[in-house]
Amino acid sequence: MSKHRLRGRGRVDASQPVVFTFDGKPYTGLKGDTVASALLAHGVHLMGRSFKYHRPRGAIAAGSEEPNALIGTRRGPGRFEPNTRATVQEIWDGLETNSQNKFPSLKWDVGAVNDAAYMLFSAGFYYKTFMWPRSFWDKVYEPFIRAAAGLGVSPSEEDPDTYASRYLYCDLLIVGAGPAGIAAAREAAGKGLSVVLVDENSEMGGTLLSEPQSKIDGKSAWTWLEDELAALKEAGVKLMTRTTAIGYYHENMIGMVEKLTDHLPTLPADTPRERMWRVRAKQVVLAQGALEKPLVFHGNDRPGVMLAGSAQTYLHRYGVKVGESPVVVTSHDSAWYAAFDLQAAGAYVQAIVDTRPQVRQDLQAEARTRGIPVKLGHTVTATGGRLRINTVRVNPLNGTHVGNGQWIKCDALLMSGGWTPSLHLFSHTKGSLIWDDDLTTFLPKDTPEDCIITGASRGLWGVEAALKDGSVRVGEALSKLGVEATVSDYTVADDRVGTGVTMRELPTDRSAGKAKAFVDFQNDVTAKDLRLAVREGMRSIEHVKRYTTNGMATDQGKMSNINGLNIAADALGKKQPQVGLTTFRPPYTPTTFGAFAGYHRGDHFEVVRKTQIDGWAEENAAVFEPVGQWRRARYFPKAGETMDQAVARECAATRASVGIFDASTLGKIEVVGPDAAEFVNRMYTNPFMKLAPGKCRYGLLLGDDGYIRDDGVIARISDERFHVTTTTGGAARVLTMMEDYLQTEWPDLNVWLTSTTEQWSTVAVNGPNAAKLLQPFVKDFALTEDNFPHMSCVEVEVAGYPARLWRVSFTGEIGFEINVPAPYGRALWETLWDAGQAYDITAYGTETMHVLRAEKGYIIVGQDTDGTVTPYDAGMGWAVGTKKADFVGMRGLKRPDLVAKNRKQLVGLVTEDQSCLEEGAQIVLDPNQPIPMKMVGHVTSSYHQGTTDHPIALALVEGGHSKMGETVYIPMPDRTIAAKVTGTVFVDPENARLKI
Amino acid sequence: MIQIHCPYCGETLPELEFAYAGEAHIVRPESPSEQTDEEWAAFLFLRDNVKGPHFERWRHAHGCGRFFNAVRNTITDRFYITYKAGEPRPDLAKLLEESK
Amino acid sequence: MTRFNALNLVKNALTGHKNWTEQWPDSQPKTEYDVVIVGAGGHGLGAAYYLAKQHGITNVAVIDKGWLGGGNTGRNTTIIRSNYLYDESARLFDHALDLWQDLSQELNYNVMYSNRGCLMLAHTVHDVQSFKRHVHSNRLNGVDNRWLTPQECKEYCPPINIAPDARYPVMGGALQERAGTARHDAVAWGYARGAAERGVDIIQNCAVTAIRRHPDGSVAGVETEKGFIKAKKVAVSASGHNSMVMETAGVRLPLESTPLQALVSEPVKPIFPCVVMSNAVHAYCSQSDKGELVIGSGTDQYVSYSQRGGLPLIEHTVAAISEVFPIFNRMRMLRKWGGIVDNTPDRSAIIGKTPVQNLYVNCGWGTGGFKATPGAAHTLAWTVAKDEPHPINAPFTLDRFRTGRLIDEAAAAAVAH
Amino acid sequence: MSKHISSLAPSVVVDTAAAHVAVTPMTGRISLRARGDLAAIGKAIGVSLPTQIGICAKTDGIEVVCLGPDEWTLLVPLDQIEKVQGALATLAPSLPHSMTEITGREITFQIEGPHAADLMSIGCPRDISTIKVGQARRTLFDGATVVLWRDAETSFRMDVWNSFAPFLASTLETGAKELAAELA
């Protein structure tokens, strides 16, 4: 049994010792301990160093609001996280922890020199200096500031754990399982509702865990708690512990993070570390309780200075005495009970120091009975001790006058500045707050959400008040849910209710300018910093916060916001609500990135769409590229080949004999109905009314602004049926755009659209031997020039599968696209592959496809166009049905700038020195001009692996169509390349190769 | 994540099933070629962007696929009403009155 | 006003910091100004500063409905860069970048401009083409931006995952070394202090409810919560609320306002040396001097002024960060917040004159307004002072939406195959 | 890398105490779009078309769900597709409609087991309990559009475009194992 542990006290399991390490030293705690409670049981208060001044710090709290006791936690390789709150982390055998922000050790930290020079590091000091010499900021000052800042160190390895998420719909969600939350749950249970009760702690009970003395309806608090939770469980209430409601989003959506494994000594299989619950509740009850406020005085941050309520928690929940000879300093009744309980547990309370001149008689009597010296109307002006408090200076207060100080020896100082309702989630709802002068705090007012707030979070103190309030307040939610609202009555004996006053900085006889009275502990913001900010013109609390960083530490102002506001308001001479409260922002407590990422990491980060032929490509060593959501085979290297070599081989083989290509990702839309032709005609620039069934036509799709959006080949299958193809990346966009026009602008048209992208696997075979390869597999249909000319389509059987066979070419060679129902795609591919061996068939990927099409001047939307290109710019005026009454984009094309002279137009480029241009390279007319140069265009596509005897490029060039034969220049970092402007067709301009 | 009532499905569903589709009741002119440049620019680009009740379109993209109209308060993000495409613009004053 | 320097800091330290003076006074509106600027963000305050400093126009009020710097100035992820594709954009943002370099000295206020470099990662073949186009265009425009291989990306920013089998493999990156970050609040405060020192009134917590016009159509002044304020000229720079304010003057804008979210992690020791942007994955990250990872999220899809934003977007953003920087998966999010951004159809700003005489606008900065702050402010001041476009802001007219002469940085990165 | 999935090769994706997930064999599917005299269509194909979105109807060998105000998906045995197509074709031109075969487009996962509904809740943002037994909905699962059929309290079918199937199979496998671990 460690020195400060009380046998038989607390909810820890004395029969289960747990060994963990802190800074390499092993400590034994008990099952149920947090790191903080276990260290405190060993008398270890020093747990960390502060952000700016590197001052020694201990745990000030016992829960998730802890700003000081932040540690690194490790579970073997890859499982390390910084800034873990020691007051929350449960211990398990083998847990490794370490202190942070210190060098070389926690006890001797050289960073503490900052503390000595603290007068320089006042609020906003860095805005006022580090400006000279100019060059020093990047090289000297900033690196120095950065290295000094930060708390723990980042993880450095990939996280081996998994994370999960789930949606949950329920009738009633209750956040916080203290007395108010449990009472609310009791009224809701057993009424046929789905009820969820959630608490961030490892066990439910809230305040009751720290106040076992109270008796509820005749039962001891802990017995009552046990019975009540069992009854709730029995009634079907979903009870969730270690689950933090992190944010309140639109319309009663609550994000909750459940910690599943951080408390376990061994990790169970298939179990995620954390799970994000996205809860949608019809009604929400917020019962998050209240947080105790520190008092603000010189030296209030020394290890051993702690919130009185937290000392109570350590005593009752963990059986740990945080000091043997504590002093209590308070402005609120509640801390008196901490003194009484500690005294009862065997400590010698040196004094109760209360800033109030008058305190309840019964408390004073009780202190007398217990033999505790009481100092009413006193203040604390200093503390002593290097790494742990050993003395406190106490002075009498006479009005505003501070009398002579007296040092009292102690080993802990328990403070209470009163309580602040926890309004974080309520504020996320955009709920309004109202200032309560009596309680000197904000209280909840209205919220637009279906949300009720109860218990201490609306300013009620005491177990009985909380129980009754929870029971009553949930009634409104129950009525809205259509069940009877019932109310239970509660009688609580030995309840501890109290009142207090709110203090700003405690009065002192020392120079206020030199006092280190901390408001935001972690960020080392003192009361004088806040006053300085106000003096410098920061009048809004947001300005004060941002100028001083008060409330911006990892506790997000839970300890500091209200104290900061009170002091700033005082400095401004205004009431608190006129100064404002900073916005509470999600998450309620710092939340693991992994919990947000959930399943979406690594292979599962985002969907990877695969064609039915993808497996063949994978087995045949394809190199893939991501294209939108798809992965596509980019090229098929043979052993030792580079991409360029592979592409050159694939290009040559296709032009020489036959190549095979998986075109399944092309978007496909079936347009069906009596008005199908009319619809396609309105959407695309080209005329489609007279396209005969069995024929295909290239189609250009514009936006109504006149710019090219997409393109593709469109086949008329029958009078009332079109098979439209789109680009791979554009498929979803185009279908949405078509649906938009159809549903919104032309609902009178009798036509329907169905996505058939994935109905078909599309195998393209191209090359002089394509027809020869394919013919034997095509049932009863001759692939001759006469019977099946270029740009035709037919429904036939291919290799035994029903198919839509197209005679189209994106390569300039004889080309076919065979569409078969998707599942047969791979079988068809393999059939053709096997038969193609006789023709040295070559599989090619997107890269070769790009080269072959560029040699023919076929554009790729999104590469040769960029959203600012018209059909005329692209040299495709032939595709515009100028005689049509209208099509999408027709009016847009006539806008002034779209008909202006000297627009960028698509041309070919051939370099004079046979070098290959870089895609994206910029083009100028005068290579000798100074920078900034007048650029006239850029290279959109460029290849050297193709079948021409020189590299080719496509480019958008100002007035390019009238610059044929002229020389333009491409200035590169090392040289300038000259190129001749040409047409865009580099291979077979007569299209002779298309003929069978 | 807001919740949206699809007037076709008759269900209130999470936003993830829906796609926003811009301001509502912007009708593509009958004869675009007769539009001036100013009129066409207004059709393409000018939007009310109101702070408060906003007429807008949504599509139940991962459900019935329909585009529909809605009035939503852009300050609270709450819907006053959703209604089918083609139905007339609801009386805003009446809607605001009812929502009180 | 006390000069900010090390000597004064030491002097004040020795006297308990009692002698620092107000950085700007709490001004009440006068009845009349030469220029009223609506919106006390970095752009508006900066414009007032340059009006006073460079154009000698000091009878100026900057009016805000809340506290100065409380809009997008105080809510952004502070990325500063100028490697834009089009000449017009590159000139505007590079002008701003030039001003950023010495802004601390100019304002005698350390805005902590840190040119730690901005690396834009390419994850697809299309990204590579697009970013190389940027690199070449920038080079010929005199804007620094260079191409890095995946290995060089990793060396520049070690947390980047360059595994070739990643869902979005890193295929390279475009690095602008002059780019970086700054302390956003300090920019607003520095301009406010500098403007106030030169006689500008900064009027906070005073909403402008309408712009009033003379019978001849020209601007007469602004109606505010504290009454009418006469003004010879009015410039509106109220990001997130420009549509409403301008509507009262009868000017409709091609804007849609959407919620934009951002978040920070808990602070850790230096681990992330630069700014990294990954457009394909939607991951934008840097590390503040305080040690927090500062992460930009996306915009929600719908028009909204709620500053609330949804959880799914944040989930996606954090997943993207973990995808590109897997070592951060066990880090924790400290807080997230929302802003309202005005988006134009071409994602470029509108700066300058409006159809209403003596009414000027500076709007439509989308998610990228912070980096432009000094440049936008400087050229807006010129335009207001001279009633004519500055050569740099001249292309950013309202009229371009009629003519079709857009500056479409978004379309230039369009994806389709 | 996730596996390849084909409706030609039905397979078990995962089998745990919480849920069993399998790829079902290929079945015939037709997307039907129509307005007007739905009774005539119902008569022609032998099953009356439900008019409320999400409602299903079933007769021998043919199952239909209403997915939109003018949209239905028909599930028919492979050898019956032509017959249904023929029956619908006779209605044109007097009754305009669109009929598109989508047999090859989709993969169907059969999801059964005591925690099948919980498994749906890991990827489906809507409230699963509002899909009553015998109904179906088009919705989202882990980012992909799916049609979710509820055949029993603990039995679902999920239709998804085939390219998304490997990704969703991985989600379902992870989830089923996770749910089983909770039971342990």
Side-chain angles (χ1 to χ4, degrees), chain B residues 45 76 88-89 99:
Chain B
F45 300 127
T76 63
R89 186 191 275 257
S99 74

Side-chain angles (χ1 to χ4, degrees), chain A residues 305-326:
Chain A
V305 182
M306 182 183 286
L307 293 167
S310 300
Q312 287 278 68
T313 299
Y314 287 115
L315 178 63
H316 294 300
R317 187 170 167 195
Y318 301 103
V320 173
K321 245 186 306 177
V322 298
E324 299 297 331
S325 52

Side-chain angles (χ1 to χ4, degrees), chain A residues 101 119 127 131 134 138 142 159 161 535-536 539 543 546 591 593 606-607 727-728 861 866 897, chain C residues 17 22-23 68 101 105 110 114-115 167-168 183 185 269 289 306 330-331 333 403 411 416-417:
Chain A
N101 204 31
M119 287 306 287
Y127 302 125
M131 287 181 271
R134 165 70 188 87
D138 296 314
E142 191 184 40
D159 183 355
D161 279 323
R535 200 175 307 133
E536 291 199 70
R539 286 176 197 86
H543 282 160
R546 287 156 181 261
T591 304
F593 279 12
E606 243 173 43
V607 65
T727 59
T728 294
V861 172
D866 65 3
D897 196 59
Chain C
H17 296 288
E22 280 186 334
Q23 297 187 8
L68 72 85
Q101 303 298 324
Q105 289 71 26
N110 191 351
S114 165
N115 57 318
R167 171 66 180 85
Y168 286 99
R183 174 85 181 96
D185 293 322
K269 294 290 177 194
D289 284 348
S306 72
R330 291 176 94 89
M331 293 276 284
M333 183 199 295
T403 65
H417 278 282

Side-chain angles (χ1 to χ4, degrees), chain C residues 8-28:
Chain C
N8 276 336
L9 186 65
V10 172
K11 265 197 220 160
N12 270 286
L14 296 174
T15 54
H17 296 288
K18 287 198 196 88
N19 299 320
W20 291 112
T21 50
E22 280 186 334
Q23 297 187 8
W24 54 86
D26 190 16
S27 301
Q28 292 307 307

Side-chain angles (χ1 to χ4, degrees), chain A residues 257-380:
Chain A
V257 174
E258 181 180 17
K259 290 198 169 83
L260 293 157
T261 63
D262 271 3
H263 62 291
L264 299 175
T266 52
L267 297 177
D270 296 326
T271 302
R273 179 172 172 238
E274 297 181 15
R275 175 181 295 124
M276 174 75 75
W277 289 90
R278 310 174 189 114
V279 184
R280 182 81 71 176
K282 292 197 183 107
Q283 297 287 324
V284 172
V285 170
L286 295 176
Q288 294 181 283
L291 295 168
E292 196 167 19
K293 276 181 297 191
L295 287 168
V296 180
F297 54 88
H298 181 66
N300 63 344
D301 65 325
R302 214 171 290 282
V305 182
M306 182 183 286
L307 293 167
S310 300
Q312 287 278 68
T313 299
Y314 287 115
L315 178 63
H316 294 300
R317 187 170 167 195
Y318 301 103
V320 173
K321 245 186 306 177
V322 298
E324 299 297 331
S325 52
V327 167
V328 172
V329 55
T330 183
S331 58
H332 194 275
D333 297 342
S334 63
W336 287 65
Y337 297 108
F340 302 158
D341 289 357
L342 273 160
Q343 188 87 350
Y348 295 93
V349 177
Q350 302 298 301
I352 297 174
V353 180
D354 201 310
T355 61
R356 299 171 294 176
Q358 304 292 332
V359 174
R360 260 164 46 196
Q361 288 301 325
D362 61 312
L363 292 176
Q364 294 190 50
E366 174 103 29
R368 263 196 307 278
T369 310
R370 294 176 182 269
I372 304 173
V374 169
K375 292 179 178 295
L376 298 187
H378 275 66
T379 179
V380 168

